[in-house]
Each structure stands twice: as C-alpha cells, then as structure tokens.
Amino acid sequence: MLDYFLHNSTAAIAAVFLFGLLVGSFLNVVILRVPPRLMWAWRRDAREALDLPVDSEPQPPGIVVKGSACPKCGHALRWYENIPLISWVALRGKCSACRTPISIQYPVVELLTGLAFAACVWRFGVGQEALAAIVFTGLLIALAGIDWHTTLLPDDLTFPLLWLGLGVSLSTLFVSPQSAILGALVGYLSLWSVFHVFRLLTGKEGMGYGDFKLLAALGAWCGVSAILPIVLLSSLVGAVIGGAGLAIQGRDRATPIPFGPFLAIAGWIWLLFGGQLMAVYWGVMLPPGA
C-alpha cells in the first residue's frame, strides 16, 4: 500500500484529505472539550491551595470516552450523524432531534484539516517530512481553535508542539538542531520582551504568555531565521482576517482579539512555503542581474 502511494501522488493526496476530515472531527472535540476540563482542574487546584471545601461540580466529559451529543438536548449522535462534512450537510446544519442549529465550526474545521493535511503531502510528498508536517498542522489547528474561542493556548498542546519540533530537528527534516534551539529561544524571548515593554508603556497586557510559548514552538519547527517573517506574516494575517471579522460583527477596532490563530496560520505557511516566499521576496527586492 505504501509503495502504491509513493508512486501515485494523486491517490496519496486524496487519501490524506479523507484522513484529515476524520482528524478534523476529532479536533472539533478537542477544541470544545479541552478548555472546560482545564478550567475545572484549575478551580479544583485553587480550592485545594486555599483549603476550601471540595466542590461537587462534576468533571467535564473526556476527550475520547464520551461520544458526541447535541449540547442543547443531549441527543447522542448516531454513527451516520457523525460523518465529517456529509452529516452536517445532510442534517442541514441542525440537530435531528431538537432542530437546534449546529455550529458551522464543525464542517469548517473538518474541511480545513483535510485540505491542510493534503497540502502537506502535496508539498513534501509521501515521507517523513509530510508526516511531521501533518502532526504540526493538527496541533496548530487545535491551538488556533481553542485560542479563538477562549483566548487560551494550553500548555498541554504548546509544550508537546515545542518538544516535537526540537525532536524533529535531530533528523534535520526542516532545520538543524542548532537553528531549532535558537528559534525556540528567540521566539519566546522576542514576544516576552514586547509584552513587558508594552505593559511598561501602557500599563496594559497586549498578549498572553501562551503566545510566547507558541512562537517558541514555531521557532523550533521553522528555525531562528523564520521568527521575524512569522511575526510579520502573522501581523498581516491578523490585520486582514481580524479586521474583516470585526467589521462583519460590527465591533470596535479596540475589541481585543487573540493573536494565537494568526501566529498558527503564519507558522504553517512558513513551514510549507517559507523557501518559496523568500525566493519571491528577493526576486522582487533585487534588481535583475544583481
């Protein structure tokens, strides 16, 4: 089977796209269930630290133990109601039991994951680079979705992303170990410095510590030379997408928006197409024959 995909790139891309749809369905569960579980654990730990009575608040459902259900009526989804993309379209975006609208996030995340996974195989071919890029992509989508909803970037995801990036560098799939280590260091300290300078000047916190850790992880995967381009690209993406989102929702430009999703988009673009972007940049900046 592997030999077949090695010699048939179209089939490999199609297979990975379908696999990405399935993973996207799982990532939706991660995005929606991880934050409540974290907050429940934080409240429990705070009560223990303050020596307060134990609360009877039930623990939120686990990631894989409890099946999907309608958040409104509790209707447990049947297998044919949980097929990526197809079920949402067949149900016309509504619960089959209570007709409550189902968030468009579900098909969007599934489709985005499928397309992003397929892009990894299209860019790198069938091999270690594509596999590593797919893992990178899945973690970024989960982090971006959680941050977009809650402004949280959980250590449970950013730290694995960081350590995996450093581990992958040992095989020099994308960057050397030295560049990965320096990338993680510079990535963290750069936003850490901006955070503290901004707070000193304005008395406000412009971003969270999770952004430092995410950029450190991106530096581990993409190398130290990618830090500045990723920050610039994320600012551009944030200005376009964030500005459009605020305009559509009719919100003021002073409304805070999470930076993590834009860092994730920029880091993903750079890992896959950073070399091509730099070639285009230098081709534009340098005169012919220079």
Side-chain angles (χ1 to χ4, degrees):
M1 181 65 72
L2 179 59
D3 186 66
Y4 172 75
F5 287 132
L6 285 171
H7 294 87
N8 193 326
S9 60
T10 302
I13 292 171
V16 170
F17 171 74
L18 295 176
F19 174 68
L21 295 181
L22 296 174
V23 174
S25 181
F26 172 72
L27 292 179
N28 271 315
V29 176
V30 172
I31 291 169
L32 294 174
R33 293 189 184 181
V34 164
R37 289 180 62 82
L38 289 175
M39 294 176 187
W40 179 88
W42 293 337
R43 289 192 293 269
R44 179 200 60 195
D45 294 343
R47 287 192 296 268
E48 291 180 358
L50 297 172
D51 200 22
L52 296 175
V54 177
D55 197 342
S56 59
E57 177 187 8
Q59 185 176 9
I63 305 300
V64 296
V65 175
K66 185 177 179 180
S68 299
C70 173
K72 179 70 174 181
C73 69
H75 166 68
L77 299 186
R78 304 175 182 89
W79 69 267
Y80 53 83
E81 294 176 319
N82 207 22
I83 302 173
L85 288 184
I86 296 175
S87 293
W88 191 88
V89 173
L91 293 170
R92 298 182 180 179
K94 295 181 180 180
C95 171
S96 62
C98 66
R99 309 309 298 167
T100 298
I102 302 171
S103 173
I104 197 173
Q105 171 191 310
Y106 293 96
V108 167
V109 170
E110 291 164 356
L111 180 59
L112 176 64
T113 306
L115 292 174
F117 279 19
C120 291
V121 176
W122 173 77
R123 171 65 181 85
F124 297 113
V126 178
Q128 296 180 27
E129 291 93 343
L131 178 60
I134 284 172
V135 174
F136 175 77
T137 300
L139 285 169
L140 284 184
I141 291 175
L143 283 164
I146 291 173
D147 196 31
W148 185 261
H149 280 294
T150 66
T151 67
L152 296 173
L153 287 168
D155 290 348
D156 291 355
L157 295 177
T158 52
F159 284 164
L161 184 65
L162 169 62
W163 292 115
L164 282 171
L166 294 175
V168 165
S169 73
L170 296 176
S171 300
T172 322
L173 286 182
F174 304 112
V175 296
S176 68
Q178 181 181 15
S179 182
I181 294 171
L182 287 174
L185 180 64
V186 173
Y188 186 90
L189 292 180
S190 58
L191 288 189
W192 180 87
S193 302
V194 170
F195 169 86
H196 285 288
V197 169
F198 183 82
R199 188 171 64 175
L200 286 173
L201 294 176
T202 66
K204 301 177 182 178
E205 296 184 354
M207 65 183 71
Y209 278 69
D211 295 316
F212 315 162
K213 301 168 189 175
L214 177 55
L215 187 56
L218 295 177
W221 281 85
C222 302
V224 64
S225 63
I227 295 300
L228 181 57
I230 286 174
V231 171
L232 295 176
L233 185 57
S234 63
S235 299
L236 176 62
V237 172
V240 174
I241 297 179
L246 292 177
I248 293 172
Q249 296 173 9
R251 296 186 180 183
D252 186 82
R253 288 189 175 273
T255 303
I257 56 177
F259 190 46
F262 309 129
L263 276 176
I265 293 171
W268 185 84
I269 291 174
W270 197 261
L271 185 75
L272 270 68
F273 307 110
Q276 290 85 339
L277 291 175
M278 286 302 297
V280 170
Y281 172 79
W282 288 116
V284 171
M285 296 300 295
L286 292 178

